Amino acid sequence: MRLIHISDPHLTSLEGIPPAHFVGKRRLGHASWRFRRRHRHLRATLDELCGLITSLRPDVIVVTGDLVHLGLPAEIEEAAHWLKALGPPENVFVVPGNHDVYRADSWAAVEAHWGEYLRIAPGSNGEPGHWAGFPTRLGIDGVEIHGLNTGLPTPVFMATGELGREQCGRLTERLACAPPGSLNILAIHHPPAPGAIPERKALKDTQHLAPAVGMAHLVLHGHGHFNRFYRQGAVPVFATGSASKSDAPFRCFDISRNERGWRLEMHLHCRTPDGFAVVETQALAFPA
């Protein structure tokens, strides 16, 4: 199967949204977009990237959050149209980022407009709404993709993430019960490793996630707008940068299985002045 990972498209425009919507933290966020982000995150670049992705005929596209800028319901609805153009829910798997769950009014819109792509289980278990349906899951031919939500409203100048003990506990239980021989991939917005990003942007409870990471085969994340490979313990971790910036990247994983186990071939594509090019290749093997 072929899996493509993209992250942080920041695809929406804030043009035409009434100023009354930009209150509290959103006021500073709007200033950041107006003077900086709208010149760095370009929809034309994202569309170019998505055209190439489509031509590669992936079985699944994993999007690790920050589809929007300020978590406004109008932005979230706009992003839903982009998701439908990207592919049907059975081929696109989404986890939220901190910009998607920007304020208290963001989550209801995310759940309403992206629900099929998030694969949130119905019902509440007493946790805050943005955690209640997680972890999520997509299984394809022995590959198990587990989605986590680290996005939640944070104070001004903070972009931290948090999972909560219950979400991490459910993931650990699920991995312990995963079908024998399955390949388990974690999709998360914030880096799962302590020290991977400055503290004001970091995942606050990496210690609760560590047991589950140790049971997985691979972790995919975004948030930092950088391309990086590292390991958390023995587990490979791939960070992918923003899909709408001038050097827009995506990772293509070709996954195969035989009697000896799983093999992954990763190709990192990045946009260059001459078009997209493969800038890094890596092979990984996971014994049966």
Side-chain angles (χ1 to χ4, degrees):
M1 65 171 288
R2 173 166 283 174
L3 181 155
I4 286 180
H5 176 218
I6 66 175
S7 198
D8 299 78
H10 291 287
L11 65 98
T12 50
S13 172
L14 302 178
E15 295 285 2
I17 295 178
H21 288 77
F22 305 124
V23 297
K25 184 178 179 179
R26 283 191 177 125
R27 186 182 300 276
L28 289 176
H30 178 256
S32 174
W33 173 82
R34 182 174 180 82
F35 295 108
R36 184 165 55 95
R37 287 181 174 267
R38 68 171 175 162
H39 304 294
R40 297 182 179 181
H41 298 284
L42 302 178
R43 182 61 180 266
T45 301
L46 177 63
D47 289 345
E48 184 182 350
L49 178 144
C50 290
L52 177 55
I53 285 176
T54 300
S55 73
L56 294 174
R57 301 176 63 84
D59 296 287
V60 61
I61 301 170
V62 176
V63 187
T64 51
D66 278 4
L67 281 66
V68 304
H69 291 285
L70 304 182
L72 287 162
E75 287 185 281
I76 291 162
E77 184 175 2
E78 180 185 345
H81 296 300
W82 175 78
L83 285 171
K84 290 175 183 176
L86 187 63
E90 56 265 30
N91 299 116
V92 180
F93 185 80
V94 177
V95 297
N98 57 292
H99 281 266
D100 304 320
V101 194
Y102 203 78
R103 290 288 303 272
D105 63 347
S106 299
W107 180 250
V110 167
E111 192 171 23
H113 291 291
W114 304 352
E116 290 182 300
Y117 290 92
L118 294 169
R119 289 176 176 79
I120 300 173
S124 174
N125 50 17
E127 293 175 80
H130 55 269
W131 285 339
F134 290 89
T136 54
R137 173 190 169 274
L138 173 62
I140 304 178
D141 295 334
V143 177
E144 299 281 321
I145 307 170
H146 307 272
L148 294 160
N149 185 11
T150 60
L152 76 169
T154 57
V156 175
F157 302 121
M158 301 297 287
T160 50
E162 192 172 353
L163 290 156
R165 288 179 180 270
E166 291 82 3
Q167 184 180 180
C168 293
R170 287 191 296 270
L171 176 63
T172 302
E173 291 174 6
R174 180 178 293 174
L175 290 171
C177 299
S182 60
L183 182 77
N184 290 288
I185 300 174
L186 305 187
I188 186 171
H189 181 66
H190 288 76
I197 202 163
E199 188 174 352
R200 77 173 189 88
K201 298 182 179 181
L203 183 62
K204 294 168 65 175
D205 52 355
T206 54
Q207 74 278 11
H208 297 152
L209 181 61
V213 171
M215 300 168 71
H217 294 96
L218 189 72
V219 181
L220 306 176
H221 75 80
H223 187 52
H225 296 190
F226 50 67
N227 303 310
R228 186 178 298 169
F229 170 77
Y230 58 98
R231 291 182 182 270
Q232 186 170 354
V235 179
V237 180
F238 288 95
T240 303
S242 170
S244 60
K245 295 182 79 171
S246 59
D247 60 349
F250 68 90
R251 295 186 188 269
C252 180
F253 295 86
D254 287 319
I255 304 172
S256 58
R257 175 172 57 176
N258 57 31
E259 66 277 2
R260 294 188 298 274
W262 294 92
R263 177 176 172 81
L264 280 70
E265 292 187 3
M266 187 286 302
H267 300 276
L268 174 63
H269 299 246
C270 289
R271 186 174 180 270
T272 73
D274 299 317
F276 280 88
V278 175
V279 300
E280 180 184 326
T281 301
Q282 189 167 354
L284 296 171
F286 302 98

